[in-house]
Amino acid sequence: MVQHAINGVGSWKAWMQTAKESRFVSALPAILLAFTIAHLPEPDGLTPTSMRLLGVFAGVIMGLLTCDYNMSVVLAVALLTLTLTQSFMCTTADGRHIECDRCNSMYEGESGHWHEYKCDPIGGSFDVAVSGFANKVSWLVFTAFHIGKAVEKTGFGRRVSLALVQGMGRSTIGIGYAICLAELVLAPFIPSNTARGGGIIYPIVESVIAALGVEPRAGGSEDPVGGFFSFVAAAANLLSSSLFVTGMAGNPIVASKAASIFGIEFGFSEWFLGACVPGLLLILMVPPAMYVVMRPKVDFGLLSLDIHQQYSALGPVSMDEMKLCATLLGCLVLWIGTPYFGVDSAVVAYMAIIVLVLINILTWDDIVKNHKAWDTFFWLASFIVLAEQLTALGVTEYIGNSLSRSLQHASPMTSAIALSLVYFLSMYLFSSISSHVVAFAGPFFAAGHVLGCPPRLLTILIALFSSMSGILTPFSTGSVAIYAAQGYVSQPRWFMYGLAMSAMMLCTTFSVGLAWWKILGWY
């Protein structure tokens, strides 16, 4: 009897240990959160479909933080769930947009006649689920990975990175500043932060990391050296984007919304004038701040001789490197001249990949075997679908409207700070900076206008936070997704670092920034 009890206890402990180690058990908090939100009573302005979508989205975020499944697996399950529950916005045969669970239902027309919403609820939902794979941002990121592969394969990235380490590589922070400087110089001329960060800076950063002998550790554990350079590069990309109206594709939208709602001009010079003091200060703060947090350890005394030997061993520039340089130079010219040539940045990057294959820099096997590119392509496209559907089903509009009502008794200055802070944090709901701007810049400016916020103050806050808020998550924009996908920083820890960096950005903006804008007379 006693032995039977002991065996029972042993079996129970074994079962508990198995459950503890189960990946499915690690996903239970995300499943419970999604189920709970999806079944809450919908408030005015939202529908049951909106609540299901919001619940699944919240479950995805929780899943990324707690469960052991790959990010792409989490998103694949999310898209499948939304497809089977018909929780997307479908398009009918006559071009109407309705919630997918209303397909094939009847409605009364203006003439009093009854009509049917002709669409396939499951098939239409699946069309929406895979629509992100046709998004240009997804393709821009995908091609940026292959450009990085070409830079690595030819040895050009290694040559540039070794020269960079020799020139500014007397310290880890020095290389961090070199990355920031490169972003800062290119930002006014390349209006796509993903093209700039993913297509030009990322291959150099990755080559610097490789030159230091660093690789992602087995099991996905982070490496402080690779993590430092990846995170600094991501932050530098976002901060440089915030400094110039031409630094990011969504910035002109902010300027145009401010002009239409507040009646103010916020062009290149005025944007940079307002952003320069807090923005440049933050760029100076990022490398030392992340060095203190991550504590990367590189012995540059022992490394300098090795770097010099490695650089000498490269020999003269090869023909493949010259062909690659010519291709990248062509990309740079087309990216800078996008307003004049009318060629989208994603098309330029796609064209570059085709050229690199045709001139034998890359092979088709290189494309097929670049698993990081395909993995990132999948999960980024999935996030874009979720973000677009949150807007289509009214979730983002509901948040904006609720905001203005909750601040109706606050002072104009308090309202401006509160609106900008919520705007910053709302980036958690998006996988694209431009989508964030399109969805929320107008509603938040409109709320600020109703609440009497100082126009130039609210405009510069929204302008800065449109890009800066991208540091919150590893999926906020293409350039950040590229760095996060390298594996030097785990997904949960990226969220933690992002929150810490966001706190530094907010504190600097609401202290130094406000003092500077007071001097300018903007409030």
Side-chain angles (χ1 to χ4, degrees):
M1 187 76 174
V2 173
Q3 185 63 40
H4 180 72
I6 293 174
N7 291 338
V9 171
S11 299
W12 173 255
K13 287 183 177 180
W15 185 88
M16 288 296 293
Q17 183 64 28
T18 301
K20 189 176 181 180
E21 295 174 356
S22 169
R23 291 198 297 173
F24 179 76
V25 171
S26 70
L28 284 178
I31 295 172
L32 290 173
L33 178 64
F35 184 84
T36 301
I37 294 177
H39 289 83
L40 289 175
E42 65 273 11
D44 291 338
L46 295 182
T47 65
T49 303
S50 304
M51 295 303 294
R52 290 197 300 271
L53 176 64
L54 182 59
V56 170
F57 183 81
V60 167
I61 301 302
M62 176 63 76
L64 296 180
L65 294 172
T66 61
C67 76
D68 295 332
Y69 288 103
N70 180 276
M71 184 188 296
S72 293
V73 175
V74 173
L75 283 156
V77 172
L79 292 181
L80 178 61
T81 302
L82 292 169
T83 297
L84 296 178
T85 58
Q86 305 166 30
S87 301
F88 285 128
M89 186 71 79
C90 283
T91 304
T92 63
D94 58 355
R96 296 174 180 270
H97 298 289
I98 64 164
E99 295 171 358
C100 292
D101 58 1
R102 296 178 62 195
C103 285
N104 302 324
S105 64
M106 304 298 292
Y107 70 96
E108 187 177 4
E110 295 179 0
S111 61
H113 297 291
W114 287 87
H115 306 276
E116 182 182 10
Y117 288 124
K118 295 182 178 179
C119 53
D120 179 359
I122 299 295
S125 295
F126 187 69
D127 287 341
V128 175
V130 298
S131 63
F133 299 105
N135 187 280
K136 287 186 288 187
V137 173
S138 302
W139 279 97
L140 183 58
V141 172
F142 178 70
T143 52
F145 270 96
H146 296 302
I147 292 174
K149 179 66 177 179
V151 171
E152 174 192 346
K153 183 178 179 181
T154 59
F156 176 70
R158 184 171 178 80
R159 185 183 299 277
V160 172
S161 64
L162 289 172
L164 188 63
V165 172
Q166 282 193 120
M168 299 185 69
R170 294 178 177 83
S171 69
T172 308
I173 294 177
I175 301 177
Y177 277 127
I179 295 169
C180 293
L181 181 61
E183 277 282 358
L184 195 59
V185 170
L186 292 174
F189 310 107
I190 302 178
S192 168
N193 68 308
T194 300
R196 184 174 72 248
I200 299 175
I201 304 299
Y202 156 70
I204 305 299
V205 173
E206 190 65 13
S207 296
V208 168
I209 295 171
L212 295 173
V214 175
E215 294 181 357
R217 295 178 180 176
S221 61
E222 69 175 76
D223 184 284
V225 176
F228 171 80
F229 290 124
S230 295
F231 201 88
V232 166
N237 177 264
L238 296 170
L239 287 169
S240 62
S241 298
S242 73
L243 279 166
F244 308 97
V245 70
T246 54
M248 189 267 292
N251 288 352
I253 299 174
V254 174
S256 66
K257 292 288 185 182
S260 63
I261 293 175
F262 290 124
I264 60 174
E265 292 297 324
F266 220 73
F268 186 94
S269 58
E270 190 153 24
W271 185 299
F272 180 73
L273 178 65
C276 64
V277 171
L280 292 174
L281 178 60
L282 281 166
I283 286 177
L284 289 174
M285 293 167 64
V286 165
M290 294 314 301
Y291 183 85
V292 170
V293 172
M294 293 186 171
R295 294 291 181 184
K297 297 188 182 300
V298 178
D299 190 338
F300 284 90
L302 296 175
L303 186 65
S304 57
L305 178 61
D306 181 52
I307 292 294
H308 178 72
Q309 291 174 342
Q310 289 184 53
Y311 188 79
S312 300
L314 291 176
V317 178
S318 67
M319 181 58 67
D320 280 352
E321 288 178 272
M322 292 183 190
K323 290 190 288 186
L324 176 63
C325 282
T327 305
L328 294 180
L329 182 61
C331 288
L332 185 61
V333 170
L334 289 172
W335 277 330
I336 293 174
T338 295
Y340 307 101
F341 300 118
V343 183
D344 187 85
S345 56
V347 177
V348 173
Y350 184 76
M351 187 168 26
I353 298 304
I354 302 301
V355 170
L356 290 173
V357 171
L358 293 176
I359 62 178
N360 297 320
I361 300 298
L362 290 175
T363 67
W364 188 246
D365 276 349
D366 292 327
I367 304 293
V368 172
K369 293 177 181 178
N370 195 340
H371 69 277
K372 283 184 178 178
W374 291 103
D375 182 53
T376 304
F377 181 62
F378 183 88
W379 63 254
L380 182 60
S382 302
F383 266 122
I384 287 172
V385 170
L386 293 178
E388 289 176 346
Q389 289 299 300
L390 285 169
T391 299
L393 286 164
V395 176
T396 53
E397 183 181 1
Y398 172 80
I399 294 173
N401 291 337
S402 300
L403 220 52
S404 59
R405 289 195 299 269
S406 64
L407 291 171
Q408 59 184 341
H409 299 299
S411 69
M413 185 67 178
T414 301
S415 297
I417 293 174
L419 284 171
S420 62
L421 181 60
V422 175
Y423 180 82
F424 188 103
L425 296 175
S426 67
M427 189 64 213
Y428 276 118
L429 298 173
F430 290 86
S431 59
S432 164
I433 290 177
S434 296
S435 296
H436 183 221
V437 170
V438 170
F440 273 178
F444 274 66
F445 279 144
H449 183 65
V450 171
L451 295 168
C453 297
R456 295 189 186 281
L457 175 63
L458 183 59
T459 300
I460 191 60
L461 285 170
I462 297 296
L464 286 172
F465 289 170
S466 292
S467 295
M468 288 184 184
S469 60
I471 203 65
L472 282 169
T473 71
F475 53 80
S476 61
T477 185
S479 55
V480 173
I482 289 171
Y483 290 116
Q486 301 313 305
Y488 300 112
V489 179
S490 64
Q491 296 290 341
R493 196 167 289 272
W494 190 287
F495 277 96
M496 292 171 56
Y497 289 155
L499 196 59
M501 180 62 66
S502 298
M504 186 177 81
M505 291 176 173
L506 290 170
C507 289
T508 303
T509 302
F510 289 139
S511 57
V512 176
L514 284 177
W516 172 241
W517 301 321
K518 184 68 174 178
I519 293 172
L520 294 178
W522 285 7
Y523 70 95

